[in-house]
Amino acid sequence: MSIKLTTQAYCKMLLHAAKYPHCAVNGLLVAEKQKEKKKDSHSTPILCVDCIPLFHGTLALAPMLEVALTLIDTWCKENKYVIAGYYQANERTKDFRPNQFAEKVGARIAENFSEAAMIMVDSTRFTMGCYEPILTIYDHHENKWKCRDCNADCFEDWCEAQKITSALLEGRSYESLIDFDNHLDDLRNDWTNPEINKSVLHLC
Amino acid sequence: MRDKLRKWREDNHRNSEQIVDVGEELINEHASKLGDDIWIIYEQVMIAALDCSRDDLAWTCLQELKRQFPGSQRVKRLAGMRLEALEKYEDANKQYDSILQDDPTNTAARKRKISILKAQGKSAEAIRELNEYLEQFVGDQEAWHELSELYINEHDYGKAAFCLEELMMTNPHNHLYCEQYAEVKYTQGGLENLELSRKYFAQALKLNNRNMRALFGLYMSASHIAASPKVNATVKKANVKYATWATNQINRAYQVSYARKKFNNRLKLSENMVVVDVVSKPNTTKWTALSKVMINSKH
């Protein structure tokens, strides 16, 4: 029932938050579609391989969110992914609890993917050095969201994630990050962020 | 560099890191060549420095401005903003109160006080104060827009719509207000609001035919109306027509923006969104009921 994050997913989440420090930001996490369902009680953790930054600023409006979810869902089907999580960083630094909106979107994602997670970014611990993971992961249990501590175990490779995220933040890579809002402003902006993916791979 | 700063000032861009980079260099190396422009540049760079936690730079700019304009309310406001950035909200409030004592009509100080409430997470109070402010200063568009955002964050879409209506009345040619109003109406949900939302998306599109949000919004609202069991066949047919038109426009827009190779990908994506005909099951996927969920959660 737990999720793990790859370096690429973590990186892009933090870059998105860094690009718009004065706004709330949100986005989706995608995982590879599992081929067979494991019947044993200890399921392998879901690996979130990528993150799609969605919006910045006013998050709580439905139409563009629906458009984004529909397009991304289709993209996921083509690439054998599944929408596995939702992340949000609130506008105020000290505000790192999930709000009603985050819970609603998270619940909706959980309807389609039972092990969905909701992730809140804790901006108070956000540093250039990325010395510790700054996420709080919430799992959906019986219609409630239960908080789980995020430590190095929640990552495929925390050391790598820490090093690469820090390097990209120093290099101001967030200036070239594209979220869905940027895509709607200019369709040529690619929300899959191939350039940033390449940089992450390059640094691995 | 001067021109860049001027453009960012005029467009009200919040690209603070860039402003600090360009502005710091300008101030340190070329101060003598700037003439009287230097004061407004100090102000712009100071605000950007506060955004980037560069208190050293902000302090320098503030000192220069204090020296040049002693006793100025505008500079006092900047000093207040610096206190806000340092989270010294009590002191900042005192600063703004002193400005208001000398000049009760100073709108900047009042708005900063409201920003402090927002920063402290006191949304209800911020909304109350902003409403009071707008009773006196009805024409302040920035304030109306801020209030609409505060209401949206509280999921009070009805009141947010009211604020945007004020903005649309005074700015009938602004496609962004139209489009945002349509988004709020769509989020409110219900057949009447969906029809209104479709009309305003269409209006936004008329004002600016390159507004992709308006185009997508038109598609979504028309599809929803066509899929609703409460509409008669004529309305359904008309909305299917609008939705199909919107899809074609979306496809065209993607075609223009993308090279052949990638386009095929996007075309498929758009095709999945098409409502094919009146009889077939409309493509309201699992995501499209999200707006209903969001509204039900408030009341």
Side-chain angles (χ1 to χ4, degrees):
Chain A
M1 274 290 230
S2 52
I3 65 155
K4 272 192 182 223
L5 297 168
T6 59
T7 300
Q8 187 168 295
Y10 186 65
C11 234
K12 282 156 84 170
M13 250 196 288
L14 260 61
L15 288 176
H16 192 205
K19 186 178 181 188
Y20 298 106
H22 56 281
C23 294
V25 298
N26 67 357
L28 299 174
L29 292 161
V30 296
E32 280 175 357
K33 200 163 189 165
Q34 303 279 39
K35 296 240 171 75
E36 337 88 38
K37 279 236 149 157
K38 295 215 164 105
K39 295 274 169 116
D40 50 352
S41 50
H42 293 295
S43 46
T44 50
I46 313 287
L47 186 63
C48 286
V49 295
D50 204 358
C51 129
I52 318 260
L54 287 180
F55 304 108
H56 56 269
T58 315
L59 305 181
L61 289 175
M64 297 306 125
L65 179 61
E66 289 178 15
V67 170
L69 287 167
T70 312
L71 285 182
I72 292 169
D73 209 22
T74 314
W75 175 81
C76 279
K77 290 201 171 69
E78 309 227 318
N79 291 281
K80 306 262 190 328
Y81 285 146
V82 64
I83 297 182
Y86 168 79
Y87 74 86
Q88 186 172 304
N90 289 325
E91 190 178 354
R92 289 177 48 236
T93 324
K94 301 209 168 115
D95 188 6
F96 49 80
R97 304 277 311 283
N99 57 13
Q100 211 176 42
F101 179 75
E103 292 189 358
K104 289 298 167 193
V105 180
R108 212 24 104 110
I109 294 177
E111 277 178 24
N112 297 297
F113 183 73
S114 54
E115 279 122 51
M118 176 176 47
I119 295 185
M120 296 301 293
V121 179
D122 182 356
S123 304
T124 51
R125 295 182 290 153
F126 197 161
T127 59
M128 293 293 265
C130 300
Y131 299 116
E132 45 166 0
I134 60 171
L135 311 176
T136 330
I137 303 183
Y138 292 80
D139 300 310
H140 203 215
H141 282 294
E142 296 151 21
N143 281 332
K144 286 217 179 88
W145 289 99
K146 292 239 173 79
C147 179
R148 174 159 52 97
D149 247 338
C150 181
N151 48 35
D153 284 337
C154 300
F155 295 86
E156 193 184 27
D157 183 343
W158 167 244
C159 289
E160 181 192 71
Q162 185 260 317
K163 247 186 341 179
I164 295 182
T165 310
S166 182
L168 290 180
L169 283 170
E170 297 274 346
R172 295 212 201 165
S173 295
Y174 47 80
E175 286 171 3
S176 58
L177 183 88
I178 301 292
D179 65 7
F180 206 80
D181 253 337
N182 301 136
H183 176 73
L184 290 172
D185 291 334
D186 183 343
L187 290 183
R188 289 168 297 185
N189 290 329
D190 190 346
W191 43 262
T192 58
N193 287 291
E195 292 300 324
I196 303 224
N197 293 343
K198 262 192 240 158
S199 317
V200 172
L201 228 51
H202 183 66
L203 287 169
C204 271
Chain B
M1 288 205 282
R2 240 164 131 172
D3 296 328
K4 263 197 226 171
L5 283 178
R6 182 167 3 105
K7 181 163 191 303
W8 292 332
R9 214 163 43 232
E10 284 166 11
D11 292 343
N12 217 0
H13 271 179
R14 196 167 172 171
N15 51 338
S16 303
E17 271 187 308
Q18 286 178 301
I19 295 176
V20 162
D21 284 343
V22 172
E24 195 173 18
E25 197 187 317
L26 209 58
I27 291 171
N28 290 336
E29 325 259 310
H30 311 282
S32 47
K33 302 183 201 148
L34 294 170
D36 273 336
D37 266 358
I38 194 164
W39 308 115
I40 202 157
I41 289 178
Y42 271 132
E43 185 183 37
Q44 184 181 13
V45 172
M46 183 195 162
I47 295 178
L50 290 178
D51 233 2
C52 297
S53 265
R54 286 285 311 272
D55 193 42
D56 54 324
L57 181 58
W59 183 248
T60 318
C61 295
L62 186 60
Q63 295 304 94
E64 292 295 319
L65 287 166
K66 270 188 177 159
R67 204 175 308 153
Q68 180 70 7
F69 306 102
S72 149
Q73 303 288 40
R74 193 162 157 176
V75 175
K76 263 188 165 170
R77 181 200 86 148
L78 289 174
M81 282 177 81
R82 184 179 158 268
L83 290 168
E84 275 186 71
L86 296 170
E87 294 189 27
K88 295 186 175 155
Y89 297 122
E90 292 281 325
D91 295 334
N93 262 321
K94 285 202 192 107
Q95 183 85 338
Y96 298 134
D97 285 333
S98 93
I99 298 178
L100 287 169
Q101 231 172 5
D102 293 334
D103 176 13
T105 65
N106 189 310
T107 56
R110 276 185 81 164
K111 288 198 268 191
R112 286 321 308 167
K113 289 190 66 156
I114 295 171
S115 307
I116 291 178
L117 289 170
K118 192 176 167 192
Q120 294 174 310
K122 300 177 179 165
S123 338
E125 285 174 53
I127 288 178
R128 199 178 44 233
E129 293 290 316
L130 196 43
N131 267 305
E132 273 179 38
Y133 170 84
L134 280 167
E135 276 172 30
Q136 282 191 293
F137 300 98
V138 169
D140 190 334
Q141 303 189 2
E142 182 186 66
W144 279 114
H145 202 246
E146 183 64 40
L147 187 56
S148 78
E149 278 182 22
L150 286 173
Y151 277 132
I152 291 172
N153 286 334
E154 297 296 306
H155 301 290
D156 199 339
Y157 298 106
K159 300 213 177 95
F162 177 80
C163 298
L164 288 164
E165 281 164 10
E166 288 286 328
L167 286 168
M168 285 197 297
M169 265 204 309
T170 44
N171 302 274
H173 299 293
N174 186 320
H175 64 107
L176 296 169
Y177 291 150
C178 257
E179 185 260 306
Q180 207 172 16
Y181 179 73
E183 284 197 51
V184 170
K185 281 291 161 196
Y186 181 103
T187 312
Q188 264 185 301
L191 190 56
E192 217 176 276
N193 285 325
L194 274 178
E195 296 208 310
L196 218 58
S197 120
R198 191 203 67 223
K199 290 182 183 153
Y200 278 93
F201 277 129
Q203 175 70 1
L205 215 42
K206 199 165 106 172
L207 293 169
N208 178 351
N209 61 6
R210 289 190 304 185
N211 186 331
M212 279 313 291
R213 288 184 180 80
L215 197 48
F216 273 117
L218 180 61
Y219 167 78
M220 298 296 283
S221 45
S223 304
H224 264 301
I225 297 172
S228 164
K230 300 183 198 160
V231 297
N232 61 39
T234 337
V235 174
K236 239 197 215 334
K237 204 166 166 199
N239 279 286
V240 170
K241 206 169 71 168
Y242 304 143
T244 317
W245 177 85
T247 316
N248 292 333
Q249 294 298 313
I250 294 171
N251 279 342
R252 237 199 313 162
Y254 272 112
Q255 194 171 20
V256 165
S257 307
Y258 280 82
R260 250 283 123 235
K261 182 176 75 167
K262 263 189 174 171
F263 167 65
N264 291 329
N265 226 347
R266 305 292 164 175
L267 178 59
K268 258 203 235 168
L269 297 181
S270 291
E271 271 173 359
N272 282 330
M273 293 167 67
V274 174
V275 173
V276 175
D277 60 33
V278 176
V279 176
S280 78
K281 199 159 172 223
N283 195 27
T284 45
T285 66
K286 49 202 172 187
W287 306 118
T288 51
L290 199 61
S291 52
K292 293 204 195 82
V293 172
M294 283 163 66
I295 293 305
N296 292 335
S297 64
K298 166 79 180 169
H299 300 289

